[in-house]
Amino acid sequence: MSEAYRSPLAPDANEGLVALVTGGGTGLGRAIAREYAHTGARVAIAGRRAQPLEEVASELTGGGTQVLSVPGTDVREPEHVASLVDTVLDRFGTIDVLVNNAGGQFVATPEQISAKGWRAVHRLNVDAVWDLTRTVAQRSMIPSRGGLVVFIGFSPRRGIPLMVHASAARAALENLASGLAIEWSRHRIRAVCVATGAIDTDAFRAYGDEFVAEAMRTAPLGRIASPEEVASVIAFLSTTGGAYITGTSIVVDGGNDAWGLGFPPPQPGQS
């Protein structure tokens, strides 16, 4: 976390809530878990690797937060989803906020994306997200008459070169958020998609220096987001200030969606 960053939210802004964050051990998920902890929530973090989850849990527990770490969780597997929800409910009794942060993709031109690759990206970013969302709603949010589901989308929302498989998957989440907000309003469940531009995480920087430099060059604000900036927007949604926001996409991208990507498309005949 940047030493210069200060949360804009009050320390008790999410007091009394239980937030479940998938992919909570690294990058944006870690920042979201921290922001919820720093605003008074009890936090459950899930992911496949134990070490990063335990590091986050140790940090937040040391700060006085009640934290549950659930390593070995692959949200693509229905039995893992069921076990995760059981574990969180056994510990905290409820799930008030679900942040579907776990996801992933790879860089490829459309003609290089195989059917297997397409299915893998959509299985993680759409199918797994839906399974966990439905399970949490059925087991906790619908019976308790309330909750917030957050999905993570992509910006620019009109499509991203070398990411058409992932962009299509994230666009599905925007539509899912709006549909669920309507369907589940009778249960007082809200659903919001937070569409982000490039975020300064290890996973994003793993795409390479050229990729990062291009993201910075084409962003109207001239930089990429810190994880904390995005996390604070997500944590705001579950506060009393965000209580009337549902069924929409909130774009946190430094102006990318307004501008596009800012570089020309491949020309006819160009390979």
Side-chain angles (χ1 to χ4, degrees):
M1 180 168 54
S2 170
E3 294 182 1
Y5 178 81
R6 287 189 176 185
S7 173
L9 302 177
D12 61 350
N14 283 303
E15 188 172 2
L17 298 182
V18 174
L20 168 57
V21 183
T22 61
T26 59
L28 177 59
R30 178 174 57 194
I32 295 168
R34 284 170 169 165
E35 191 70 3
Y36 269 104
H38 294 163
T39 54
R42 291 171 289 170
V43 180
I45 51 176
R48 286 182 290 176
R49 294 187 294 139
Q51 181 176 348
L53 290 173
E54 293 304 330
E55 289 174 355
V56 174
S58 178
E59 172 196 337
L60 299 183
T61 301
T65 302
Q66 293 185 50
V67 181
L68 172 65
S69 170
V70 190
T73 300
D74 185 342
V75 292
R76 296 171 296 187
E77 303 299 334
E79 61 272 22
H80 287 212
V81 167
S83 177
L84 169 62
V85 174
D86 284 342
T87 301
V88 177
L89 292 179
D90 285 346
R91 171 69 179 274
F92 293 130
T94 188
I95 300 171
D96 302 297
V97 180
L98 169 62
V99 183
N100 286 293
N101 171 71
Q105 52 280 318
F106 54 90
V107 173
T109 61
E111 63 272 16
Q112 292 174 321
I113 301 171
S114 66
K116 181 179 180 180
W118 179 274
R119 286 194 298 268
V121 168
H122 283 250
R123 182 185 176 205
L124 176 57
N125 295 291
V126 181
D127 297 351
V129 167
W130 167 240
D131 188 24
L132 179 57
T133 297
R134 179 182 56 85
T135 303
V136 169
Q138 289 179 331
R139 296 286 309 282
S140 182
M141 292 183 178
I142 292 175
S144 63
R145 300 288 297 168
L148 169 68
V149 180
V150 178
F151 303 102
I152 306 298
F154 276 0
S155 179
R157 298 159 69 204
R158 68 199 73 178
I160 303 173
L162 304 179
M163 289 278 182
V164 297
H165 50 340
S167 293
R170 304 293 179 145
L173 298 181
E174 292 201 51
N175 193 279
L176 180 59
S178 61
L180 290 181
I182 298 167
E183 292 276 6
W184 287 348
S185 61
R186 64 187 184 275
H187 304 302
R188 300 189 184 279
I189 297 172
R190 294 183 294 119
V192 181
C193 183
V194 176
T196 77
I199 303 174
D200 195 358
T201 63
D202 290 342
F204 182 74
R205 289 190 174 274
Y207 289 126
D209 292 341
E210 184 177 346
F211 206 87
V212 174
E214 188 68 14
M216 291 184 176
R217 187 185 70 80
T218 59
L221 288 186
R223 63 180 180 85
I224 56 180
S226 72
E228 293 80 17
E229 287 176 303
V230 180
S232 64
V233 173
I234 292 171
F236 167 76
L237 292 172
S238 51
T239 70
T240 54
Y244 205 57
I245 301 173
T246 190
T248 191
S249 294
I250 296 177
V251 182
V252 187
D253 70 349
N256 269 138
D257 194 52
W259 176 242
L261 287 176
F263 55 84
Q267 298 301 302
Q270 182 178 346
S271 61

